[in-house]
Amino acid sequence: MVSHIREYTSVTGVAGPLMIVEDVEGVAYGEIVEIETPHGENRRGQVLEAYEGKAIVQVFEGTGGIDTKVTKVRFTGSTLKLGVSMDMLGRIFDGTGKPIDGGPEIIPEKSLDIHGEPMNPASREFPRDFIQTGISTIDGMNTLVRGQKLPIFSGSGLPHNELAAQIARQAKVLGEEEEFAVVFGAMGITYEEASFFMTDFERTGALEKVTAFLNLANDPAIERIITPRVVLTTAEYFAYEKDMHVLVILTDLTNYCEALREIAAARGEVPGRRGYPGYMYTDLATLYERAGKTVGSRGSITQMPILTMADDDITHPIPDLTGYITEGQIVLSRELHRKGIYPPVDVLPSLSRLMKGGIGKGKTREDHANVSDQLYSAYAEGRDLRDLVAVVGEEALTEKDRKYLEFADRFEKEYVTQSKDEGRDILRTLEIGWDLLSILPERDLKRIKEDYIKSYHPKYVREK
Amino acid sequence: MAEGKIVKVAGPVMKAEGMRGAMMYEVVRVGNYKLMGEIIQLEGDIATIQVYEETAGIKPGEPVISTGAQLSVELGPGILKQIYDGVQRPLEVIRKESGTFIARGIEVPSLDRNKKWEFTPLAKVGDKVEGGDFLGEVPETELITHRIMVPPDISGEVVEIAHKGSYTIDEIISKIKTEKGEEDVNMYQKWPVRIARPLKKKLDPVAPLISGQRVLDTFFPVAKGGTAAIPGPFGGGKTVTQHQLAKWCDAEIIVYVGCGERGNEMTEVLEEFPHLTDPNSGKPLMERTILIANTSNMPVAARDASVYTGITFGEYFRDMGYNVALMADSTSRWAEAMREISGRLEEMPGEEGYPAYLASRLANFYERSGRVETIGTHKREGSLTVVGAVSPPGGDFSEPVTQNTLRITKVFWALDASLADRRHFPAINWLRSYSLYLDTVRDWWEKKVDERWYEFRAKAMVLLQKESELQEIVQLVGPDALPEKERVALEGARVIREDFLQQNAFHEIDTYCSVTKQFKMLDIMLEFYDRANEAVSRGASARAIAEMSVRDGLSRLKYVEDSKVDEAIAKIRTNMKAEFEELVTRVVA
């Protein structure tokens, strides 16, 4: 790309987040634009449509104050790049990558295009390293592995932030000491929420391993479009150039999608479901697919995006499209939360697609997959019976059914519940699982291999 | 040929002027990076182009050069075991050239030009040949012999044919005298992907495509040459089902198109398949597999190309007389790509923003499947089965892609989130799913497996249907309110559901269940139900039946190796008889 900078004052129209500039020459699609408002304020934007002699520009920091007479527009001739360096660890930036912690400017070691390039599927390495998060419902039943993208589907008022912070704090790979970093991206969350994370990182001494990008609720909405890309570019630099294992926490994807919708509406595009643009799947995929591990690189990117479901509706386009791209989901339940259970993870709709590769002999324990399957089916049965009890009363149940009811109750109280600073190791999680399964008749444990029952069932363990 | 210049760029779609003379669907090279694109609209001398690569940095004014050809693929030895992107660029080669990420404008040959293949001639000088006839063969992989065919548009007399020996695909292996003069033929041919390859005639499917998955083979079979759709919400198990089919189905060639899905899923196939052996041949599964990956972060315009590339590969191997199965995961992403491009063309949207031609495009695609008599002088049959996954938003099957797909495909495997939640896998809902090939494959089953197959299957379905009706009552009044006879039906259905329909894709034995084992399992389970019914009519209680120890034997049956199934069933049968007798005697006493 020829990178001579051209300056124009020919803004002819402003609508929502978009600005139209005419009489321009050689504008490239995706090019970054610097804008100087009549008050001397500097903003940035990006070319969304390039014509001969005309460009439609999306302005990241909002279009307020832009006029059609004196506003200066500079086409930089380059796409949006982020200067990265190892000094970014322990620092706090705004949503576009400018330091906001009062520290010095970053002297970039390298400048990277924030859009990245699609990873070649043939270069990927299938993720198989177990990450112990210390949360039983995740480790035991929806295991997270290095290089996975596993979102938390939550709702307003649920403790997703606490859970994400706890995972960031406790996550570790068994038996290994390796370079580890957290890149945190906030999109449109409140000051209080952001401060919760920062305080938590500080309290636990994790801050020096954290790079944070904060786009808060009162920052321009359009800036949110680039925040996750800046986050992931930084993560890719740490992972693929510095061989670090990076955990990326993005919150809240719902706000990101709202910003996407805002731009689509301003451009007059044909809306898809609920007004979100038809390309939202592709757009989200360009974020989520940046998680992974590659052949020949030691580092990895594990993503944990958080999104709040509108009215707890999992079929809403944002969780729906996310679920189709990510490798599973952790679903928080309002019902469990009301019962006072923390973390309120509803295991039934939760899923980790990469679990099977990360568990088992040599990784966690040979019986892990079987125990998880059995816990799932027993809990599902217990929950069904609860509904039945509501109709016919407990007296109508058989002895066996009552055991399943007891199982479901104790499962929630003993397995799901843990305190905010309790990191349970995987063996303890499995042990609790076996304790609960021993409530049920042994012959009902159909999903567990007989050898494993003999080795791990509390009854036989006691005999030994 | 035309050379124009770009006047507008907006995402993957651009307009160029000065394009008079260019054809619809012609491939063009766009801009200074020479990105690959395809003309999708012509208006005067303005062409609208969809670009198969990222367009950031492209400027109006940059050149557009037409290539004179439609989007085509190269068909010849070297396709198998490859992983291609949507426009047939080998991803392994790209990786060697550009590293972990895919660089733009990269040009790599689709087929290896330097590799020498062991060619054995099958035709002789003087033979009269037409399109589709075999000129020779090449052992492409341990499993598959690649037949070198006369290209469809050539017919005449063989005037030269290469001797047995090794040749590259560029070397001329035959000369054919046609009406228009002599034609040189080498080992590969080019074919435009949007045009179906010719065939002599379509035949009705007769044999089932056996996948070793009980719920598919026994309950909702797809025929070789047929079409099936798997719609389901996320987490429903579409991909696992597609992978299971790709692994175990008894087609000779597998084309797996990952269209707009996860990169790691393709990696999984790449890592896993070379280590799995085909139950029919004992050779590694990768030897018969072609992968096409346009993952969700790869350019959206190439989604469309990826499904057409896949089906063209399928037709090519079908022409050699093979049974081919194509899995497309997911056709919804392809439809969404159509929607996105259509939106950028500012076409009048149809339902939910999808273009009005969605239905006809889908129909066209699925209609390229079939059992056929191939072209060529010798009578030869081949088949191409197409299985498409559909990802309906919110798991709602009333949306346009699912509905339009169901109008064409003959098998519907409905994935159900509530089954998946309780880890009932495959989460195929037995009440909503259907297969229109039951009568087609009945003959095959009755001859090859057992003549009672159709009857048994129907009996099991009735039982499952009855269970669902009874469940509604149970939800209202509790199981105790049901008469014993009906409670036994619930138990009988439970056995079918848990011990037959559920299958563990990750268990070394249960992952593949042979048809004979499937039938034997169903047989003994129905026998259990019949005996239970009889016992109840003689006074036994349903509760006692539910707690019989023979149930354990039935539920472990799926994990029994094929060679030991008969023994295991005989044991169950003996125990079952004894246990039921004891039950009844206890009642009498």
Side-chain angles (χ1 to χ4, degrees):
Chain A
M1 210 175 301
V2 198
S3 67
H4 60 247
I5 295 174
R6 296 134 292 148
E7 191 174 290
Y8 300 95
T9 51
S10 44
V11 175
T12 56
V14 185
L18 303 183
M19 174 179 83
I20 299 160
V21 194
E22 289 193 47
D23 297 325
V24 292
E25 233 179 277
V27 172
Y29 173 71
E31 184 174 356
I32 286 300
V33 177
E34 286 168 359
I35 302 149
E36 198 185 318
T37 66
H39 299 289
E41 215 183 311
N42 283 313
R43 293 187 195 166
R44 283 194 295 176
Q46 186 174 19
V47 175
L48 278 188
E49 280 179 36
Y51 297 84
E52 279 196 310
K54 185 174 117 180
I56 295 180
V57 176
Q58 139 191 337
V59 183
F60 294 130
E61 289 99 338
T63 45
I66 292 181
D67 72 344
T68 52
K69 196 173 162 199
V70 285
T71 296
K72 285 186 200 145
V73 183
R74 269 188 301 276
F75 290 84
T76 59
S78 91
T79 47
L80 194 49
K81 291 209 159 85
L82 179 75
V84 288
S85 120
M86 283 304 280
D87 297 338
M88 292 170 86
L89 278 176
R91 299 289 305 274
I92 304 172
F93 303 87
D94 74 357
T96 60
K98 296 187 194 114
I100 50 168
D101 53 0
E105 287 284 325
I106 296 293
I107 299 161
E109 197 174 304
K110 222 174 167 176
S111 183
L112 298 173
D113 187 337
I114 65 155
H115 293 280
E117 277 173 330
M119 196 189 277
N120 187 334
S123 315
R124 280 183 190 269
E125 191 177 306
F126 194 74
R128 294 179 200 280
D129 298 333
F130 168 66
I131 298 181
Q132 180 174 294
T133 63
I135 311 278
S136 289
T137 40
I138 296 176
D139 293 349
M141 297 171 78
N142 296 288
T143 314
L144 177 68
V145 298
R146 215 136 72 171
Q148 185 173 16
K149 37 195 181 290
L150 188 65
I152 298 176
F153 285 8
S154 184
S156 324
L158 296 181
H160 42 263
N161 291 341
E162 283 84 346
L163 180 60
Q166 189 175 358
I167 292 169
R169 203 162 59 222
Q170 294 178 173
K172 64 173 178 198
V173 171
L174 295 182
E176 278 184 70
E177 276 304 320
E178 284 187 56
E179 285 291 320
F180 181 79
V182 174
V183 183
F184 176 77
M187 293 161 288
I189 63 172
T190 61
Y191 168 77
E192 268 174 72
E193 282 172 291
S195 149
F196 165 80
F197 277 102
M198 300 323 295
T199 319
D200 196 82
F201 291 145
E202 212 160 342
R203 180 173 68 88
T204 55
L207 196 59
E208 61 190 73
K209 285 280 168 205
V210 175
T211 304
F213 295 89
L214 308 178
N215 164 283
L216 300 184
N218 57 347
D219 289 330
I222 302 307
E223 194 180 289
R224 277 163 216 161
I225 299 291
I226 53 174
T227 305
R229 296 189 162 84
V230 167
V231 167
L232 289 163
T233 305
T234 311
E236 279 173 352
Y237 169 75
F238 289 156
Y240 303 134
E241 310 223 359
K242 300 291 166 192
D243 289 336
M244 297 176 92
H245 294 289
V246 186
L247 174 68
V248 172
I249 299 175
L250 292 171
T251 180
D252 177 332
L253 258 300
T254 305
N255 297 328
Y256 171 81
C257 294
E258 300 288 333
L260 210 56
R261 176 163 70 176
E262 194 180 326
I263 295 174
R267 291 175 71 179
E269 287 171 338
V270 181
R273 274 178 80 214
R274 302 221 189 169
Y276 293 98
Y279 51 80
M280 195 158 84
Y281 176 85
T282 315
D283 193 279
L284 286 173
T286 58
L287 301 181
Y288 297 141
E289 278 288 318
R290 287 172 82 172
K293 264 193 95 182
T294 62
V295 181
S297 151
R298 294 223 317 275
S300 66
I301 297 179
T302 309
Q303 273 190 32
M304 188 157 270
I306 299 170
L307 57 90
T308 48
M309 300 182 282
D311 198 24
D312 298 344
D313 176 11
I314 201 167
T315 67
H316 183 278
I318 300 171
D320 190 52
L321 295 180
T322 298
Y324 274 120
I325 307 164
T326 53
E327 285 139 350
Q329 66 277 338
I330 303 294
V331 182
L332 301 191
S333 143
R334 198 165 297 276
E335 192 192 326
L336 290 176
H337 182 61
R338 279 200 205 108
K339 281 190 192 169
I341 289 169
Y342 174 87
V345 175
D346 186 355
V347 293
L348 296 187
S350 299
L351 172 73
S352 164
R353 292 169 192 269
L354 302 184
M355 175 170 178
K356 62 179 190 300
I359 61 171
K361 209 172 176 179
K363 289 179 169 153
T364 56
R365 206 169 73 185
E366 52 184 0
D367 57 329
H368 190 160
N370 283 189
V371 170
S372 165
D373 284 350
Q374 192 68 59
L375 287 171
Y376 262 110
S377 83
Y379 181 57
E381 181 142 359
R383 285 255 296 249
D384 282 353
L385 286 165
R386 254 186 220 163
D387 296 342
L388 189 64
V389 168
V391 180
V392 297
E394 202 159 332
E395 298 71 37
L397 297 185
T398 63
E399 188 58 32
K400 191 171 116 185
D401 289 347
R402 280 195 203 123
K403 286 192 171 145
Y404 275 93
L405 270 185
E406 184 196 340
F407 172 87
D409 290 340
R410 282 185 52 191
F411 176 81
E412 288 170 5
K413 284 198 196 91
E414 294 167 30
Y415 194 90
V416 180
T417 305
Q418 57 190 97
S419 77
K420 286 178 189 167
D421 45 23
E422 179 186 4
R424 266 187 212 153
D425 71 35
I426 180 64
L427 294 180
R428 176 75 193 126
T429 293
L430 287 169
E431 197 184 321
I432 300 175
W434 272 109
D435 272 347
L436 295 171
L437 290 176
S438 69
I439 301 170
L440 306 174
E442 192 186 314
R443 43 183 293 214
D444 272 21
L445 306 181
K446 285 185 192 173
R447 294 178 188 243
I448 304 181
K449 275 196 190 161
E450 272 163 277
D451 301 356
Y452 299 159
I453 296 184
K454 294 276 180 298
S455 317
Y456 301 109
H457 194 291
K459 189 174 115 194
Y460 299 102
V461 172
R462 271 196 300 273
E463 275 173 21
K464 276 184 208 159
Chain B
M1 300 280 261
E3 191 175 331
K5 67 175 177 116
I6 301 169
V7 291
K8 179 192 170 184
V9 191
V13 172
M14 50 181 72
K15 284 190 190 235
E17 65 178 21
M19 296 298 290
R20 202 176 287 277
M23 299 178 292
M24 186 73 169
Y25 296 128
E26 186 173 341
V27 173
V28 292
R29 291 284 172 176
V30 173
N32 299 333
Y33 287 106
K34 295 205 176 359
L35 306 182
M36 192 171 172
E38 188 181 14
I39 296 180
I40 50 172
Q41 209 174 61
L42 284 167
E43 212 182 332
D45 73 342
I46 305 246
T48 307
I49 298 158
Q50 62 173 349
V51 182
Y52 293 135
E53 294 178 78
E54 173 58 44
T55 52
I58 305 292
K59 294 176 195 159
E62 288 185 24
V64 175
I65 301 159
S66 73
T67 61
Q70 291 191 42
L71 183 62
S72 303
V73 286
E74 290 182 353
L75 303 165
I79 296 185
L80 288 168
K81 301 209 285 190
Q82 280 292 351
I83 175 164
Y84 285 117
D85 77 352
V87 289
Q88 210 202 0
R89 295 184 304 180
L91 288 167
E92 284 289 351
V93 180
I94 292 185
R95 184 182 140 208
K96 281 182 199 126
E97 295 214 347
S98 81
T100 304
F101 300 95
I102 302 174
R104 281 196 290 172
I106 193 162
E107 254 186 285
V108 286
S110 299
L111 295 175
D112 192 335
R113 290 293 189 274
N114 300 319
K115 187 169 166 123
K116 295 222 174 209
W117 298 96
E118 205 53 47
F119 173 82
T120 310
L122 293 173
K124 338 181 267 301
V125 172
D127 281 359
K128 296 262 184 287
V129 292
E130 59 183 51
D133 282 342
F134 296 161
L135 289 169
E137 59 183 27
V138 163
E140 185 176 349
T141 67
E142 281 185 60
L143 211 53
I144 300 297
T145 305
H146 195 113
R147 277 97 189 217
I148 309 298
M149 295 179 288
V150 177
D153 50 347
I154 292 180
S155 66
E157 189 187 320
V158 177
V159 289
E160 257 179 56
I161 180 96
H163 295 293
K164 189 174 163 63
S166 29
Y167 303 91
T168 66
I169 55 166
D170 277 330
E171 286 178 76
I172 289 158
I173 48 107
S174 177
K175 289 191 175 170
I176 295 170
K177 198 167 105 194
T178 68
E179 286 173 1
K180 284 179 257 161
E182 261 186 25
E183 295 267 1
D184 293 342
V185 177
N186 53 18
M187 283 202 272
Y188 76 98
Q189 36 182 288
K190 283 197 167 195
W191 191 263
V193 295
R194 291 184 198 279
I195 297 171
R197 285 175 64 88
L199 46 91
K200 255 199 196 130
K201 67 173 177 210
K202 280 217 170 175
L203 307 167
D204 288 330
V206 283
L209 183 79
I210 298 300
S211 62
Q213 310 304 303
R214 288 184 292 269
V215 62
L216 307 187
D217 293 348
T218 299
F219 281 87
F220 308 106
V222 62
K224 283 201 178 86
T227 50
I230 321 181
F234 62 84
K238 281 185 300 297
T239 303
V240 176
T241 310
Q242 291 270 42
H243 279 193
Q244 287 297 93
L245 278 166
K247 282 177 195 167
W248 310 124
C249 81
D250 63 345
E252 287 135 333
I253 306 278
I254 303 292
V255 183
Y256 194 97
V257 186
C259 175
E261 291 285 308
R262 304 175 185 92
N264 277 333
E265 286 171 0
M266 300 311 290
T267 311
E268 191 181 0
V269 176
L270 274 177
E271 287 186 11
E272 196 180 14
F273 276 32
H275 304 293
L276 293 171
T277 46
D278 174 12
N280 303 307
S281 68
K283 297 275 175 10
L285 281 174
M286 203 60 204
E287 305 280 306
R288 61 166 192 179
T289 309
I290 310 166
L291 298 173
I292 297 166
N294 174 268
T295 56
S296 57
N297 56 341
M298 285 159 79
V300 69
R303 302 249 201 291
D304 192 46
S306 69
V307 294
Y308 286 111
T309 297
I311 199 131
T312 310
F313 286 165
E315 287 174 336
Y316 176 64
F317 282 97
R318 171 205 71 191
D319 288 349
M320 293 180 202
Y322 286 118
N323 291 307
V324 184
L326 176 134
M327 282 89 205
D329 185 12
S330 152
T331 58
S332 292
R333 305 300 163 226
W334 168 35
E336 283 162 11
M338 271 190 242
R339 174 168 70 183
E340 181 172 343
I341 302 295
S342 160
R344 300 214 191 240
L345 292 178
E346 292 170 0
E347 292 173 336
M348 183 71 80
E351 210 179 336
E352 288 192 22
Y354 286 104
Y357 47 78
L358 173 71
S360 62
R361 288 271 172 96
L362 286 172
N364 251 319
F365 169 72
Y366 282 103
E367 199 51 22
R368 286 172 76 171
S369 68
R371 179 174 158 253
V372 307
E373 193 183 318
T374 64
I375 53 168
T377 26
H378 300 286
K379 200 167 171 174
R380 193 165 65 228
E381 279 176 18
S383 75
L384 172 55
T385 313
V386 176
V387 181
V390 184
S391 319
D396 171 14
F397 291 170
S398 68
E399 59 92 38
V401 184
T402 313
Q403 283 308 312
N404 282 312
T405 304
L406 290 182
R407 272 170 32 207
I408 316 153
T409 57
K410 294 215 163 150
V411 178
F412 173 39
W413 295 321
L415 292 170
D416 186 330
S418 69
L419 289 175
D421 282 356
R422 62 188 55 224
R423 299 308 189 254
H424 173 115
F425 284 116
I428 293 173
N429 184 311
W430 48 92
L431 297 173
R432 293 189 75 177
S433 303
Y434 59 77
S435 164
L436 300 181
Y437 293 115
L438 280 180
D439 290 310
T440 315
V441 303
R442 177 179 183 172
D443 210 37
W444 185 94
W445 273 91
E446 292 182 347
K447 278 197 189 113
K448 300 254 167 142
V449 186
D450 194 291
E451 53 193 18
R452 295 165 299 167
W453 172 74
Y454 196 81
E455 178 200 331
F456 278 17
R457 181 202 169 274
K459 198 167 161 186
M461 277 307 287
V462 169
L463 186 56
L464 289 168
Q465 176 67 40
K466 186 163 178 186
E467 182 198 29
S468 103
E469 286 161 18
L470 292 175
Q471 282 296 359
E472 281 175 27
I473 304 176
V474 170
Q475 289 301 324
L476 288 176
V477 295
D480 282 347
L482 293 180
E484 289 293 303
K485 196 101 192 156
E486 301 198 322
R487 294 186 62 180
V488 162
L490 285 181
E491 282 307 316
R494 193 185 175 104
V495 170
I496 303 278
R497 209 160 29 82
E498 290 182 358
D499 304 333
F500 189 84
L501 293 178
Q502 283 187 20
Q503 190 166 356
N504 185 348
F506 307 115
H507 187 279
E508 67 269 23
I509 292 169
D510 200 27
T511 186
Y512 177 83
C513 185
S514 70
V515 281
T516 39
K517 182 176 167 189
Q518 293 185 22
F519 181 80
K520 286 172 186 162
M521 284 174 72
L522 190 62
D523 182 16
I524 188 80
M525 288 171 190
L526 289 171
E527 185 179 326
F528 168 81
Y529 173 57
D530 287 343
R531 284 186 188 276
N533 248 329
E534 192 200 315
V536 162
S537 61
R538 288 167 65 190
S541 78
R543 186 166 289 188
I545 289 169
E547 275 160 24
M548 282 169 71
S549 67
V550 67
R551 289 282 304 277
D552 300 351
L554 287 175
S555 59
R556 303 252 174 215
L557 201 49
K558 55 173 107 167
Y559 306 123
V560 176
E561 275 173 59
D562 259 38
S563 56
K564 293 181 184 146
V565 167
D566 284 330
E567 193 190 323
I569 289 184
K571 204 170 131 200
I572 293 174
R573 193 162 270 139
T574 326
N575 291 347
M576 188 156 77
K577 257 188 200 163
E579 217 177 331
F580 272 117
E581 257 155 45
E582 194 207 313
L583 213 65
V584 175
T585 350
R586 237 183 355 205
V587 174
V588 178

